[in-house]
Structure formats: C-alpha cells, structure tokens
Amino acid sequence: MDRKHLETLEFPQILLRLARHVSFSAGRKLVLALQPSSIFVEVRQRLQETREARHLLDAHGGLSLGGAHDVRPLARNATRGAVLQPLDLLDISSTLRAGRRVQRMLGRLRGQVPLLADIAARIEPCQALADEIGRCISEQGEVNDHASAKLARLRRGMRIAHERLQEKLNRILANARNAPYLQESLITQRGGRYVIPIKAEFKGRIPGIVHDSSASGATLFIEPLSAVETTNRWRELQIEERKEVERILAELSALVADLADELAWTVEALADLDLVLAKGHYANELGATEPRLVAFAPNRQRPGTQRKRDSENTDSVLLHPGSVLDLRQARHPLLDPGTVVPIDVHLGDEYFILVITGPNTGGKTVSLKTVGLMAAMAQSGLHLPVEEGSAISVFDGIYADIGDEQSIEQSLSTFSSHLTNIVQLLDRAGEHGLVLLDELGAGTDPVEGSALARAILSHLLERRITTLVATHYSELKAYAHTTPGVENASVEFDLESLSPTYRMQIGLPGRSNAFAIAGRLGLSSEIIDPARALVSPEELRTESLLAEIQQAHREATAARDEVLLGQRRMAEQERQLAARLAAIEGERASILGEARAEARRELSAVREEIEVLRSEMSDGESQSQSALGEAWLAQAQARLTEQEELVRPDPAP
C-alpha cells in the first residue's frame, strides 16, 4: 500500500489511537508500522486474531504484558562483547517472566484462542538464563552476595574491615585530648577514604594525611595514620569486589549473548500479542464489529449489468470486477462518536463506480475518507465501526486523491497537483484496486474539467476498477444515470435548516439547490428569477424532477421506516403474548398437576379401604356372600383403575 494515499485518508491517525492501547515499546513500533495487507488469507487471519483478543478481554479480563521490555538492543550489545548492567539484566529477566506467564495462560485457553496461542508458542522460556539472573541480581538491581563464593567472601571481609575502620576513627573522635583540635566530631569521606575535620591551626597534632581543606582554609580533612592500613585493606577488598562483580556480570552477559536469537523471538512474539490486544481494546472502544470478507469474483457478468446502455456502444457487455462493498451505518472513526452521522454505502451487482454529488460541506469528502479508512482498517485486521452484516473485499491497493494538495514547492496549481496524483494512481491501480477521487476535474474550466472527468471515469470503467467519485459536475450525474456499471449517489441537504444531514442516498443524484439556498438566505427574487432564466429549461426540468424523486424517496423511506417500526412493535407484542400464554399454560399445568395428585391420593385411600373390606368379608361372611362381595369389590377396583388412568400425569413433552 502506498503510504501517501494512506496519509491522505488519515490512516496514521488511526494508528496513533491504536498505539494508546499497547503495553511496551516493541508493540508500539509494530502498531505505528502497521500496513494494510492485500492477501485475503492474511487479512482473514488478522481479523480472527482481533476477534480472539476481544474474546480474551470480554471473557477473561484480558492479558497482562506487564514487565515486558524490548531487550533486543541489549542482546545485540551482549553479542558484541558489552557487559550488561544489573538493571539491564533485570529487564531481560522481567521480559522472560512475562513471556512464561503469557505462554501458560494462552496455552490453557488454546481451544478458545488458537491463533493467539500459536503466537505465544513462539516464546522461548530461556529458563536457565532467567534463573541465573534471578540468583545473581536482586530486585533492587544489585549483584547478590551469593552470586559467587568469592564475592560472598570479599563482601564479608569488606564489612569486617569497614567496622574496624569505623571503630578506630570513633576512638580518635571520642578521645578527650583530641577534642580541642577537632572542627567537628564527625567522620566523612574524601576521595573514597574516611577522614576527620580538624582545625587548620592544629595541623600535626593528630598525625595523618591531609586529603582536602575547606573553602576558607580553616578546616583540614585528614586521614589518621593509625587508620591508613585498615583503610588500605578495605579499599583493596572494594577493588577486588568490583572486579568480581564485573566478572559475574560478564558471565551473565555471555549467557544473554548465547540466547540473543531466542530473546529476539520472545520479544517479537510479545510485540505481536501486544499489537493484537491493542486491536481488541480499540475495537471495544469504537463499539466495532467484524466485517465479512468477500473474495473478488472476477471475469463474470453480474445480473442486471445491462440495465443501462452506453449511448455510444449499446451492444457492449459489462463485466463486474467482483468487488463487494456493503458498509452499514459506517462511522468515521476519527470524528466525535456523539455527533458523527453514520452512512450506508454499498455497491450493487450492476455497478462498481459510484458518483457522489451534493452541496459543499455536505459530507462527500468525509464519505470518501470513511470508505477508504474502512478498507484500510479491515485489511490491517481492525474491526470496523459499522453495523453487523457489513461486508468488504480485500483490495490490492487503496488509492485516494482527496483534498486541496496544492504544492508550493513544485509551483503546481490545485488542478495540476490533483492531475499529477491521478496520473500516478492510474499507472498503479489494478482491477482489484479501490480508487477514491474527490472533486474530479475541478480547478480548471468547467466544460473541459467535466469532459476530462467523464473520460477518466470511462477509463476506470473500462479497466474495471472499483471507484468512488465526489463531484459538483451535473454532467457526471447524467453520465452515471446512463452508463452501465456506474451509479449515482448523493448527500442530503435540509433546505429548511440550510444544513447538510450527512446521510447518503444510493441511486439518487444530488441537487445543486443554489436558487433555493439563495432565496432562503434572503437574496431578492429580482436577482434570482433572471438567474433562473439563464439556465436551460432542460436543466431546470431535471432539477425539478430530482426534487420530486428525492421527495418521493423520502416519503418511501419514511413509509418503510413506519412499516419496520410497526413490524417491530408487532413482534414485541407477539413476544409478550407468547410469554403470557406460556405463563398461563404453566399455571394451568401446575393446577392440573396438583388436582391429579390430590385425586390419586384419594383413590389410593379408597383402594386401601377396599382391601380392608375384602379382608373382613373373607373372615366373617358365608361363601355365597363372600363371592358376591368379591364380585362387587372387583368391579370397584376396576373403576378405581379407570379413575387412576384419568388422573395419571401428562407425559413429558
């Protein structure tokens, strides 16, 4: 993708907003270097990564990359023989810990976020290096005593020597005979050696080596001779300790150098994850949705492409390039979300060039930039601020000539500057490209500019390049109306408020509204009427017809919205009625169930009484009476069985 065209669309501003969500410098570098891909499979994978990142954020609260640093420069320095400092090594250790933590978490969630888990699988744990740094370097960035046996011995000796030195100096200060000679009763340092301040006039009263004097010369800082040998021993141990620390740091640096490639792979994997997570955060910030990617289907005639006939060649058959652009309620991501007006932009089966007309400040330029940004963002793996169901193709290139780009350095006029850009993009754009042209042919004689604009559109049409054009030329409205493959679109203008609505209408050209606006602003009819008379009757009829069509379109849209609202209300009423019916059915089933249960209990009691009667009859009655009783009881029992069948619970549905 050409960086200049992306800058025209303000894509770098999108990247700056995306960069606000990264965790460390390597991720930020990836964000700022992000470019749209023209490879369908790669774009699809990028969008899936963003989808997984959003799932991770929504379902698991995200993923922390805290502690990660771009340690690749440190690793490169180590390979060149540099000795890394403790804080540098702590950065490496912290990065490795962050990598292990991320790898473990995404490994557990592989079933939910397989692409992110694949990225995390590239992380090299470098466990031995991390353990060795942790053993040798404290969290405060100091080399630990136990980093080596020699270092532990040296530091123990340093502490003992220091304690002895302090004892000797304190004894000198505490000696009452020395009190008159002391400027202050304190121990300080000069040049790394401990000294005491004495009055200059008592020089020599305490034997020692003068290391410094005060600015006034009244105080001398001396190292007592009795402490020199102990100080020397302490200093020797310090030098040996520094050498041992350097040796330990050099060994750790050598380990880093040996694993420089692995560290680089780890940082790159963490940076890739940082980029993907930033995309997820930014998508949630925008309230974005994932667009449906549609591959180009070239070299086929779409249905209805001969609905319009080219006046010069009525027998030509137009082949659609196969591009898909269906953006529903698309919002420009750099505009205030509270005030931005969403637009619907789509290419039909019958056209792949859209000519957008309408008044100044009506939103034509913003519409072009919105479309271009949606394509660039989607091909960078970003979810889009659009409604569900939006679809877009993957373009080989996105080419934009938008805005006033007059070049002072090259002494080019606005027209020349635009034409230079158009020449360059025509040389580069292919059948799978997306071209966005603002005010095509403007900046020169209107007649010639209009003719040139139509010729450029015909050239793009012949080459089957998906194109959106914003223009003021009324001739292009007629061109779009009569040319197969080209369609009109317009941005609405409210004559009552004299302000644009920023809504786009596909299939309708825009009106100039010049006379109506002039009248609303108070220009006298004595001026407007003669001006209107200068316009050809055909153009006036065209404007009148456009007004009628737009009014009919508004009425049809209002009627459609009313029908949709009615349908939504009916659907809601049906839902409420269904819920009430379900509740009533539930209550009925519950009441029936309770009644049947009660009936079963009563029938069970009657059955028990029959059994008691049978037992009493068999004990106390004659054989004939018993036979009659048994027959009666059998009939009663049969009746009970029938009643039990009637109150048996309904089978589960």
Side-chain angles (χ1 to χ4, degrees):
M1 297 286 175
D2 191 305
R3 181 175 294 275
K4 177 184 177 182
H5 295 289
L6 293 177
E7 289 175 353
T8 298
L9 295 170
E10 299 179 277
F11 183 68
Q13 299 302 315
I14 298 292
L15 299 184
L16 287 176
R17 297 197 176 191
L18 180 62
R20 295 190 305 215
H21 299 285
V22 298
S23 298
F24 74 121
S25 60
R28 180 178 176 83
K29 289 178 183 176
L30 280 187
V31 166
L32 297 181
L34 183 62
Q35 293 284 300
S37 170
S38 58
I39 302 173
F40 186 90
V41 175
E42 183 179 351
V43 174
R44 183 172 57 191
Q45 178 173 317
R46 287 181 175 188
L47 290 172
Q48 183 181 339
E49 288 172 349
T50 305
R51 186 195 323 145
E52 291 183 8
R54 297 184 75 176
H55 171 77
L56 200 63
L57 292 169
D58 296 340
H60 303 281
L63 178 68
S64 172
L65 296 180
H69 303 274
D70 187 358
V71 297
R72 291 173 295 184
L74 298 177
R76 285 196 297 270
N77 289 341
T79 61
R80 296 168 185 151
V83 175
L84 303 181
Q85 296 306 301
L87 291 178
D88 297 335
L89 293 166
L90 280 183
D91 283 350
I92 292 173
S93 176
S94 174
T95 301
L96 292 175
R97 286 199 304 273
R100 289 198 304 273
R101 183 177 64 250
V102 167
Q103 194 175 60
R104 284 196 299 268
M105 179 178 180
L106 293 180
R108 291 195 302 269
L109 299 174
R110 172 172 286 278
Q112 303 173 45
V113 288
L115 293 183
L116 300 192
D118 286 343
I119 296 174
R122 292 159 33 203
I123 294 172
E124 293 289 341
C126 301
Q127 189 66 51
L129 173 61
D131 291 345
E132 189 64 9
I133 293 175
R135 186 184 71 82
C136 295
I137 309 297
S138 71
E139 292 183 359
Q140 292 72 38
E142 299 174 350
V143 178
N144 291 321
D145 291 355
H146 56 260
S148 73
K150 182 178 181 180
L151 183 62
R153 186 179 71 253
L154 289 171
R155 286 184 172 172
R156 186 167 56 250
M158 285 171 57
R159 286 191 292 272
I160 294 171
H162 187 265
E163 289 170 1
R164 289 175 179 172
L165 178 59
Q166 292 291 315
E167 288 174 3
K168 287 186 177 183
L169 294 174
N170 282 322
R171 281 199 301 270
I172 293 172
L173 293 177
N175 191 329
R177 290 181 302 176
N178 294 330
Y181 314 138
L182 299 175
Q183 191 70 265
E184 290 182 84
S185 182
L186 61 82
I187 301 171
T188 184
Q189 279 192 336
R190 289 295 186 275
R193 301 182 74 88
Y194 283 106
V195 295
I196 58 176
I198 67 170
K199 297 174 182 177
E201 62 266 27
F202 295 115
K203 179 182 178 181
R205 296 297 179 92
I206 299 177
I209 302 170
V210 177
H211 286 281
D212 199 4
S213 64
S214 65
S216 64
T219 303
L220 299 176
F221 297 93
I222 70 163
E223 179 183 4
L225 290 178
S226 60
V228 169
E229 184 177 348
T230 306
T231 300
N232 288 343
R233 177 59 183 159
W234 176 61
R235 293 287 290 163
E236 289 170 1
L237 290 171
Q238 281 184 314
I239 293 170
E240 290 186 48
E241 185 259 359
R242 278 199 299 271
K243 290 181 179 178
E244 180 63 11
V245 167
E246 284 294 314
R247 186 193 66 79
I248 293 168
L249 293 177
E251 285 189 354
L252 291 173
S253 299
L255 290 177
V256 170
D258 291 340
L259 295 171
D261 289 340
E262 287 81 351
L263 288 170
W265 299 335
T266 294
V267 170
E268 289 163 6
L270 289 172
D272 285 341
L273 288 172
D274 201 15
L275 168 62
V276 173
L277 291 171
K279 290 179 182 179
H281 280 292
Y282 187 46
N284 287 346
E285 178 184 295
L286 289 176
T289 60
E290 182 178 352
R292 179 171 57 91
L293 284 186
V294 183
F296 269 79
N299 299 324
R300 76 169 187 265
Q301 184 180 358
R302 293 286 191 88
T305 50
Q306 297 193 56
R307 152 179 88 79
K308 294 185 283 189
R309 295 291 186 180
D310 191 319
S311 59
E312 296 181 2
N313 186 3
T314 57
D315 296 326
S316 62
V317 175
L318 176 69
L319 291 178
H320 197 292
S323 55
V324 170
L325 186 65
D326 185 6
L327 301 177
R328 305 177 184 182
Q329 296 293 284
R331 308 182 304 277
H332 193 294
L334 298 178
L335 298 180
D336 182 356
T339 58
V340 63
V341 178
I343 60 171
D344 293 319
V345 183
H346 67 268
L347 299 177
D349 288 340
E350 300 130 356
Y351 58 91
F352 55 91
I353 293 181
L354 206 57
V355 176
I356 307 170
T357 51
N360 284 328
T361 71
K364 299 190 301 297
T365 300
V366 171
S367 297
L368 290 180
K369 286 189 174 182
T370 300
V371 172
L373 276 179
M374 295 301 101
M377 289 172 66
Q379 292 178 217
S380 300
L382 296 170
H383 289 183
L384 307 182
V386 295
E387 291 297 321
E388 292 284 353
S390 295
I392 194 168
S393 292
V394 176
F395 298 98
D396 285 349
I398 303 170
Y399 308 94
D401 180 65
I402 298 174
D404 186 359
E405 298 183 2
Q406 182 168 347
S407 172
I408 296 176
E409 293 181 2
Q410 299 178 17
S411 301
L412 295 177
S413 67
T414 300
F415 174 75
S416 300
S417 178
H418 280 298
L419 197 58
T420 299
N421 291 337
I422 291 172
V423 169
Q424 292 173 352
L425 71 83
L426 289 178
D427 287 341
R428 300 187 57 188
E431 190 174 294
H432 289 181
L434 173 64
V435 172
L436 307 167
L437 302 174
D438 190 23
E439 298 300 343
L440 181 60
T444 187
D445 176 79
V447 175
E448 294 181 354
S450 172
L452 188 61
R454 280 177 288 169
I456 291 173
L457 282 183
S458 295
H459 180 74
L460 291 165
L461 182 67
E462 183 180 346
R463 291 175 56 186
R464 306 196 310 159
I465 299 176
T466 304
T467 304
L468 276 74
V469 175
T471 182
H472 278 102
Y473 290 133
S474 59
E475 292 85 353
L476 291 186
K477 302 176 189 178
Y479 175 87
H481 182 69
T482 59
T483 305
V486 187
E487 185 58 272
N488 271 304
S490 60
V491 287
E492 288 183 338
F493 189 86
D494 187 348
L495 285 176
E496 294 299 321
S497 63
L498 293 181
S499 61
T501 66
Y502 300 107
R503 288 191 291 268
M504 182 180 289
Q505 296 176 315
I506 306 294
L508 290 177
R511 298 173 58 203
S512 65
N513 295 311
F515 296 137
I517 293 173
R520 297 284 296 176
L521 292 175
L523 190 64
S524 169
S525 60
E526 295 179 357
I527 299 174
I528 295 176
D529 291 343
R532 195 190 305 272
L534 295 175
V535 179
S536 67
E538 291 79 7
E539 291 196 16
L540 288 176
R541 282 196 297 272
T542 300
E543 284 293 311
S544 176
L545 182 59
L546 279 176
E548 294 176 6
I549 292 173
Q550 289 182 349
Q551 179 62 30
H553 183 270
R554 282 192 291 270
E555 292 174 356
T557 301
R560 182 201 62 189
D561 293 343
E562 188 174 346
V563 169
L564 290 176
L565 179 61
Q567 289 176 343
R568 284 195 294 270
R569 287 174 177 169
M570 288 179 61
E572 178 62 21
Q573 290 176 354
E574 288 179 2
R575 187 192 64 78
Q576 293 176 358
L577 288 173
R580 289 175 58 187
L581 183 60
I584 293 171
E585 184 63 28
E587 291 176 6
R588 185 186 73 83
S590 176
I591 293 170
L592 284 176
E594 292 176 3
R596 286 172 172 169
E598 180 63 25
R600 287 195 299 274
R601 287 193 294 271
E602 292 177 358
L603 290 173
S604 179
V606 172
R607 187 181 291 279
E608 290 175 0
E609 290 179 8
I610 290 175
E611 291 300 326
V612 170
L613 287 173
R614 179 184 284 113
S615 176
E616 291 175 352
M617 288 173 62
S618 61
D619 291 342
E621 295 182 355
S622 65
Q623 186 174 2
S624 61
Q625 289 175 328
S626 177
L628 288 172
E630 282 292 337
W632 180 85
L633 289 174
Q635 290 178 357
Q637 218 163 17
R639 291 282 297 165
L640 280 174
T641 301
E642 291 176 4
Q643 294 300 316
E644 285 177 342
E645 286 295 328
L646 292 175
V647 298
R648 188 181 301 277
D650 292 334

